[in-house]
Amino acid sequence: MEDWQGHHVFSECHSFRLEPESDWYRLRLGEYQGNAGDSMSWHNNKAFTTLDKDKDAYSGNCAHFQKGAGGTTCVPTPT
C-alpha cells in the first residue's frame, strides 16, 4: 500500500478462515507479517455478531449499532 505521502507498507496474513455457523463464524487468522501495523489480530478467534445472535464482548449488540453484521468488536459511533 502507499499513503498520501508516498510511504510504502505491506501487510500479509498467512491464513484467513471463518468457522461454520455452529461456531458463530469465528474468525481464525494466521501469522501476520508486514510493516503496515497489525489491526486484525485483535479480532482473531472471536465470533461474529449478527442482529439475532450477540456474540461480541460489547454490552450492547454491535450489529444493531452497525446496522447489520457487527463483526467481532464494537465501538458505537455517536449519532
Side-chain angles (χ1 to χ4, degrees):
M1 296 178 278
E2 181 179 353
D3 67 13
W4 297 109
Q5 289 76 39
H7 300 109
H8 293 261
V9 295
F10 79 99
S11 178
E12 181 179 317
C13 183
H14 290 271
S15 64
F16 179 98
R17 184 175 80 226
L18 287 178
E19 297 295 343
E21 180 182 11
S22 60
D23 195 17
W24 311 111
Y25 304 106
R26 189 172 308 278
L27 179 63
R28 305 283 189 195
L29 299 171
E31 181 184 351
Y32 166 82
Q33 284 187 314
N35 60 355
D38 182 5
S39 62
M40 290 295 293
S41 64
W42 170 258
H43 304 279
N44 193 28
N45 296 316
K46 293 183 181 170
F48 276 80
T49 284
T50 59
L51 289 171
D52 62 337
K53 302 286 184 189
D54 187 7
K55 296 295 175 185
D56 57 76
Y58 179 68
S59 61
N61 184 314
C62 288
H64 171 75
F65 288 106
Q66 302 296 335
K67 310 289 189 233
T72 61
T73 59
C74 185
V75 179
T77 55
T79 57

